[in-house]
Amino acid sequence: MGDGVALNFSLPSKTVRGDHLQQAPAIEILRGELKPDGSPNLKSFRVVETIPGELAAQYEADDRTQIVTPIASSENRASSGFDAVFAVRTRASRKRASADSNAVKIHIFPVPAPVGRIQFQLTESAIDLSWQPVTQTAAGEPIIVTEYRIYRGELDPKSYDAKIAGPEILHERFAAPLTLLGRSNDSRYSDKQFDFGKIYVYIVRCLTTAGGNELESNDSDPLILKPADTFPPSTPQGVVAASVENPETTPPSQEIDLSWSINTEQDLAGYHVYRSETQGQRGSLVTQDLLLSPAYRDTSLASGHRYWYSVTAVDLSGNESAASPQVAADVAQHSP
């Protein structure tokens, strides 16, 4: 896994006497050498990494513990890789350590260098991600990347601290854990399944193959993104104005009926209607509340006047479209 070896094991819950451990023990990762015949040299094992017991829970997943112990890139230059051997033990105190686990030999191949910074461009329908292609191993040797894997998680907004950045963000509380979002054969990916207002974390890993195995790089720099909807709806089309007479008033009054084609945006909240007595000027808003349907009747009119109307659409985020082309309507002069 990246420039490291992922060791998976179960932590003990009891002592050798059968007593329950009161707290998680410290974890010690040991690395050793191989004998000429390829078997582990048990006398060569040395501690290369220690995880304090109070931090052990951070490495748990599905009732198993996984620790990725790093491999120096300077060790891993040959394209054919090399063999390494590891073991694990736990320690309840300085003088109380478990026996070593079984020794595990693993062949380690060079992996691609990690992707660096992820760039993004937000559109109304997608988050377009891009990054610099990877052509070398972490040690600087040429390598062929077969694909990129894009992972996405969702942070819990109740606990998210905007001051935390970089790899440390991966240890924060997630509302949805990092999972594989998609794959790409080049250094870009378009995420079209997102929601405005959520807090996302993206990482990218690149993949190569060696010895019949798929090998992933380390994580890229995390991209933390809270996409905001700043995209207005489309301008209402087909606005029509017609003067009608209302016979229920005394004397009968002239009113203006407006109608237009319905907008199709999923986040549409409604419409505003503007009225002006001067062509080319938007005028004033005559609908204080959003109209939920594409029609309006204007009853507050003066006889003998000409009015110009335009309509805008508003979405759930409060973004307002450009105004439609103005349409004119005349109100007839009352007869004496």
Side-chain angles (χ1 to χ4, degrees):
M1 182 176 182
D3 280 318
V5 174
L7 301 175
N8 292 274
F9 50 91
S10 297
L11 278 179
S13 59
K14 297 181 179 180
T15 68
V16 291
R17 296 180 179 179
D19 300 324
H20 284 280
L21 290 170
Q22 298 301 310
Q23 58 188 16
I27 303 167
E28 294 180 343
I29 308 298
L30 300 97
R31 182 174 173 182
E33 299 174 355
L34 295 173
K35 295 179 180 178
D37 63 0
S39 63
N41 180 356
L42 300 182
K43 295 181 179 180
S44 70
F45 280 88
R46 299 290 183 271
V47 175
V48 293
E49 188 172 3
T50 301
I51 308 297
E54 56 268 25
L55 300 181
Q58 295 183 10
Y59 298 86
E60 291 181 3
D62 299 327
D63 297 324
R64 299 277 290 174
T65 297
Q66 182 183 87
I67 296 176
V68 178
T69 188
I71 300 294
S73 58
S74 58
E75 287 188 82
N76 206 6
R77 289 184 175 275
S79 60
S80 58
F82 67 100
D83 289 322
V85 60
F86 294 90
V88 178
R89 70 182 175 212
T90 57
R91 184 178 293 278
S93 68
R94 234 178 123 182
K95 296 182 178 181
R96 298 169 60 201
S98 72
D100 295 349
S101 71
N102 59 299
V104 176
K105 184 172 76 170
I106 184 171
H107 192 79
I108 301 173
F109 290 96
V111 296
V115 170
R117 183 180 178 187
I118 305 172
Q119 306 284 344
F120 76 92
Q121 182 175 1
L122 177 65
T123 68
E124 188 172 7
S125 59
I127 299 173
D128 294 322
L129 306 173
S130 62
W131 53 90
Q132 289 294 319
V134 174
T135 59
Q136 296 180 332
T137 68
E141 303 297 323
I143 199 168
I144 296 176
V145 169
T146 54
E147 73 173 15
Y148 296 91
R149 291 178 177 176
I150 299 88
Y151 294 82
R152 188 186 76 180
E154 182 187 336
L155 289 171
D156 185 345
K158 296 179 182 178
S159 60
Y160 171 58
D161 185 351
K163 296 179 182 178
I164 299 176
E168 292 78 13
I169 198 68
L170 302 180
H171 298 294
E172 292 300 294
R173 182 179 298 173
F174 277 72
L178 279 167
T179 54
L180 181 63
L181 177 65
R183 306 165 188 260
S184 177
N185 292 325
D186 57 21
S187 56
R188 57 192 171 188
Y189 181 81
S190 184
D191 179 10
K192 298 180 179 179
Q193 303 296 323
F194 72 97
D195 295 316
F196 289 112
K198 290 185 176 180
I199 307 171
Y200 293 112
V201 176
Y202 294 91
I203 64 169
V204 177
R205 299 174 190 155
C206 41
L207 184 81
T208 190
T209 57
N213 300 305
E214 293 186 338
L215 305 174
E216 273 191 340
S217 71
N218 285 332
D219 296 341
S220 68
D221 294 336
L223 170 65
I224 306 165
L225 181 61
K226 184 178 181 180
D229 183 1
T230 59
F231 305 96
S234 58
T235 301
Q237 301 295 315
V239 181
V240 176
S243 179
V244 296
E245 185 177 90
N246 184 354
E248 297 182 1
T249 62
T250 303
S253 60
Q254 293 290 313
E255 299 174 350
I256 302 296
D257 269 347
L258 295 167
S259 63
W260 54 92
S261 299
I262 192 169
N263 280 53
T264 60
E265 287 85 0
Q266 294 295 317
D267 64 342
L268 183 72
Y271 303 94
H272 279 318
V273 174
Y274 293 85
R275 184 182 70 195
S276 175
E277 294 187 46
T278 303
Q279 185 177 12
Q281 295 183 5
R282 175 180 286 196
S284 58
L285 182 65
V286 294
T287 53
Q288 297 303 317
D289 296 325
L290 285 171
L291 298 172
L292 302 182
S293 59
Y296 177 72
R297 173 167 285 194
D298 191 2
T299 60
S300 56
L301 302 169
S303 62
H305 280 64
R306 168 172 284 189
Y307 295 96
W308 280 267
Y309 294 90
S310 61
V311 182
T312 64
V314 181
D315 66 18
L316 294 173
S317 297
N319 300 305
E320 187 173 12
S321 73
S324 67
Q326 286 183 318
V327 295
D330 294 315
V331 180
Q333 182 74 44
H334 286 310
S335 301

